């Protein structure tokens, strides 16, 4: 597994909110390999597998229209970087984490 491989699952809000979350992560991880889509979907997914780069501060991703639940899953380093990026970009509340041998998962609630 690449050190920057990350899967992002976004629930709540609309497709524009999901795209706002992905834009915030692109500062750290580069362009997403898979973007959220589907106007009527209840859960949207984005993936990042590029080399990524170190984000330097909050991005200008935009504002959320509603609270969204974001689950980030990947290597411990990628999950930590994603969590830090989202916390700098939005009002975020940590909803819990789970760890495996090589992978980690963290859930955050992002509020407008």
């Amino acid at each position: 597994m690449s050190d920057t491989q990350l899967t992002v699952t976004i629930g709540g809000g609309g497709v524009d909110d999901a795209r706002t979350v992905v834009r915030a992560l692109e500062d750290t991880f580069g362009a997403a390999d898979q973007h959220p889509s589907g106007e009527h979907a209840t859960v949207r997914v984005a993936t990042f597998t590029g080399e990524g780069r170190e984000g330097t501060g909050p991005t200008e991703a935009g504002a959320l229209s509603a609270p969204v639940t974001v689950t980030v899953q990947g290597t411990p380093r990628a999950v930590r970087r994603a969590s830090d990026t989202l916390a700098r970009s939005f009002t975020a509340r940590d909803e819990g984490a789970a760890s495996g041998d090589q992978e980690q998962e963290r859930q955050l609630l992002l509020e407008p």
Side-chain angles (χ1 to χ4, degrees), residues 34-97:
Q34 175 185 347
H35 288 272
S37 62
E39 287 295 322
H40 301 291
T42 56
V43 175
R44 294 171 176 90
V45 176
T47 58
F48 297 87
T49 56
E51 288 302 308
R53 56 187 179 266
E54 293 297 327
T56 57
T59 64
E60 296 299 321
L64 299 171
S65 67
V68 296
T69 301
V70 176
T71 303
V72 291
Q73 181 181 17
T75 64
R77 181 173 183 260
V79 168
R80 183 178 55 253
R81 290 173 62 205
S83 299
D84 291 347
T85 297
L86 293 171
R88 285 191 313 263
S89 301
F90 305 101
T91 300
R93 185 172 69 209
D94 190 338
E95 296 284 299

Side-chain angles (χ1 to χ4, degrees), residues 8-21:
V8 182
T9 307
I10 305 157
V15 70
D16 289 335
D17 292 318
R19 290 176 182 150
T20 297
V21 170

